[in-house]
């Protein structure tokens, strides 16, 4: 259980929430573990097997407190709303900005992507000594950030993102431990389908996180299909993909590199199909998901909020910060960026 941004996040399986006069009560295994007044919260977000009394649901609806439910893996299930809600106004603000000035947020998403990618490259240089390829990549990413600062054209922003991503993946093999490069050699990003083991894990992790971000966006009433950097397409989670850019390097790429460099995955965990596509075997996929869930339980200090939070709540916190920006409560959207 965690209180952040005036929201209550219930992550303990078996929790029971109910109303006691003008307060919200949380019980676990028959013991009261939390109690606070309704007015202290703007939203309650329940993950996994969490029970909520009808009286509490009704009181949340009357007071305009958002109550949303997710699976233990973060997939959005349902949202309980009262007669009045600001979500329609939030979505209208999202659509207006997406139509009128999408570059304002597109630039921020790309900037966070480049900055976080550069941090991974610089950390590798600090930990393992000078590497000319990595050094040149760090310079390229820094140059991309400088150009991005003065770019107000969407084509130019996407061009900077594309060039920087190409430069980053051109040296990605240097981030893999030398003794692992025989079995996990990376020669470039391939997507549909992934043509090697590293690309298979990268694509899987990006897909997992994009869907978790989409659930977080739905949980607070944003439309995950209308983005700023990624163009609208039927079925495309454009806003979720926008926000994914903040997390690709820091969360997904680091996660995959850790599995490889710690020898938690083996080449024999993968199958190459007749089409050339490489995919994980079922057993390896289960182990991957177990490690993914463990990673989500790790605690970090949020760079903007300066409070401790589980990694798994980061998409929800960023979604809430984006909603605050769209409503006008925050002048600028603070992307997820770590030093």
């Amino acid at each position: 259980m965690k209180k952040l941004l005036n929201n209550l996040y219930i992550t303990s399986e078996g929790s029971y929430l109910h109303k006691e006069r003008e307060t919200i009560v949380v019980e676990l295994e028959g013991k009261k573990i939390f109690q606070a007044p309704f007015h202290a919260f703007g939203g309650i977000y329940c993950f996994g097997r969490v029970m909520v009394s009808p009286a509490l649901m009704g009181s949340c609806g009357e007071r305009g407190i958002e109550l949303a439910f997710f699976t233990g893996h973060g997939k959005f299930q349902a949202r309980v709303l009262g007669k009045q809600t600001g979500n329609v106004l939030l979505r209208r603000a999202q659509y207006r900005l997406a139509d009128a000035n999408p570059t304002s947020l597109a630039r921020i998403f790309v900037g966070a992507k480049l900055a976080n990618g550069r941090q991974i490259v610089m950390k590798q240089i600090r930990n393992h000594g000078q590497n000319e390829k990595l050094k040149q990549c760090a310079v390229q990413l820094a140059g991309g950030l400088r150009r991005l600062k003065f770019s107000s054209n969407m084509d130019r922003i996407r061009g900077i993102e594309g060039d920087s991503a190409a430069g980053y993946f051109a040296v990605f093999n240097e981030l893999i431990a030398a003794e692992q490069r025989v079995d996990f050699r990376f020669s470039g990003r391939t997507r549909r389908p992934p043509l090697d083991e590293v690309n298979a894990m990268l694509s899987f992790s990006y897909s997992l996180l994009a869907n978790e971000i989409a659930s977080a966006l739905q949980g607070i009433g944003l439309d995950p299909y209308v983005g700023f950097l990624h163009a609208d397409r039927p079925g495309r989670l454009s806003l979720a993909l926008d926000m994914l850019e903040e997390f690709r390097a820091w969360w997904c790429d680091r996660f995959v590199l850790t599995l490889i460099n710690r020898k938690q995955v083996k080449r024999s965990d993968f199958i190459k199909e007749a089409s050339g596509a490489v995919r994980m075997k079922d057993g390896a996929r289960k182990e991957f998901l177990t490690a993914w869930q463990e990673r989500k339980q790790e605690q970090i200090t949020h760079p903007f909020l300066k409070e401790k939070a589980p990694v798994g709540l980061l998409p929800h916190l960023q979604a809430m910060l984006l909603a605050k920006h769209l409503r006008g409560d925050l002048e600028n959207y603070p992307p997820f960026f770590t030093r």
Side-chain angles (χ1 to χ4, degrees):
M1 183 178 65
K2 187 73 175 178
K3 180 183 177 183
L4 291 162
L5 285 172
N6 294 323
N7 296 305
L8 188 61
Y9 297 88
I10 310 296
T11 56
S12 298
E13 294 273 353
S15 296
Y16 174 58
L17 284 67
H18 63 93
K19 175 186 177 183
E20 190 172 293
R21 290 184 288 277
E22 294 301 306
T23 66
I24 298 166
V25 175
V26 182
E27 294 183 2
L28 184 62
E29 297 179 351
K31 296 181 180 179
K32 185 186 294 186
I33 60 172
F34 180 82
Q35 185 170 9
F38 280 98
H39 65 74
F41 301 101
I44 303 174
Y45 301 89
C46 304
F47 296 81
R49 188 170 53 84
V50 175
M51 294 172 285
V52 179
S53 73
L56 180 60
M57 288 186 186
S59 293
C60 287
E62 290 173 359
R63 293 167 169 81
I65 297 173
E66 182 132 304
L67 178 61
F69 296 87
F70 303 81
T71 67
H73 294 287
K75 182 180 179 181
F76 174 74
Q77 292 182 304
R79 188 169 67 242
V80 177
L81 301 173
K83 291 183 179 179
Q84 295 183 356
T85 175
N87 286 330
V88 65
L89 300 179
L90 174 60
R91 289 192 295 273
R92 285 175 65 88
Q94 175 189 353
Y95 300 150
R96 282 197 300 270
L97 187 60
D99 288 337
N101 186 23
T103 58
S104 61
L105 278 168
R107 189 166 50 241
I108 290 174
F109 291 128
V110 173
K113 176 180 182 174
L114 270 58
N116 285 326
R118 187 173 185 275
Q119 287 301 314
I120 286 187
V121 171
M122 293 301 297
K123 183 178 180 180
Q124 183 76 4
I125 293 173
R126 289 194 299 271
N127 292 344
H128 300 280
Q130 288 292 330
N131 178 305
E132 193 59 34
K133 291 182 180 178
L134 292 177
K135 185 178 177 180
Q136 290 176 2
C137 177
V139 171
Q140 179 185 4
L141 292 172
L145 284 167
R146 286 193 297 271
R147 294 196 305 277
L148 194 63
K149 191 180 297 186
F150 304 102
S151 298
S152 57
N153 176 275
M154 186 61 77
D155 288 338
R156 181 165 174 76
I157 291 171
R158 289 175 176 148
I160 293 171
E161 186 274 333
D163 291 344
S164 299
Y168 171 76
F169 281 119
V171 302
F172 197 80
N173 200 60
E174 302 295 316
L175 304 175
I176 298 173
E179 65 272 19
Q180 289 291 85
R181 291 178 196 166
V182 174
D183 289 339
F184 293 97
R185 182 163 186 82
F186 181 88
S187 57
R189 182 78 177 106
T190 55
R191 298 171 177 80
R192 301 181 186 88
L195 299 178
D196 59 49
E197 295 79 5
V198 180
N199 274 293
M201 287 188 286
L202 288 174
S203 291
F204 188 42
S205 66
Y206 294 157
S207 179
L208 283 174
L209 188 52
N211 281 286
E212 291 187 21
I213 292 170
S215 291
L217 294 167
Q218 285 178 294
I220 62 164
L222 284 166
D223 187 339
Y225 291 92
V226 178
F228 301 89
L229 173 65
H230 291 83
D232 294 347
R233 288 184 190 170
R236 175 193 259 184
L237 295 165
S238 296
L239 183 57
L241 293 175
D242 286 356
M243 192 170 285
L244 175 63
E245 302 297 354
E246 306 174 42
F247 293 113
R248 281 186 192 270
W250 180 85
W251 188 331
C252 299
D253 298 355
R254 281 181 55 191
F255 178 76
V256 169
L257 288 167
T258 297
L259 292 182
I260 294 171
N261 292 339
R262 291 182 180 175
K263 301 181 180 180
Q264 292 175 257
V265 290
K266 305 180 294 295
R267 191 171 186 177
S268 59
D269 290 330
F270 298 82
I271 294 175
K272 188 164 187 175
E273 299 176 336
S275 64
V278 174
R279 65 175 177 84
M280 282 184 282
K281 295 179 180 177
D282 290 345
R285 187 180 292 108
K286 290 179 181 177
E287 292 179 10
F288 186 102
L289 289 170
T290 297
W292 181 266
Q293 288 301 112
E294 290 173 353
R295 171 62 173 145
K296 286 168 61 178
Q297 300 305 314
E298 295 176 10
Q299 297 275 331
I300 72 156
T301 299
H302 191 279
F304 178 77
L305 300 175
K306 308 302 181 186
E307 291 191 57
K308 290 276 188 181
V311 169
L313 286 185
L314 293 177
H316 297 268
L317 298 179
Q318 291 306 121
M320 187 62 67
L321 290 170
L322 179 57
K324 284 182 172 290
H325 168 63
L326 292 172
R327 289 190 180 108
D329 298 330
L330 282 175
E331 182 178 356
N332 297 301
Y333 167 65
F336 182 81
F337 166 66
T338 59
R339 295 187 178 275

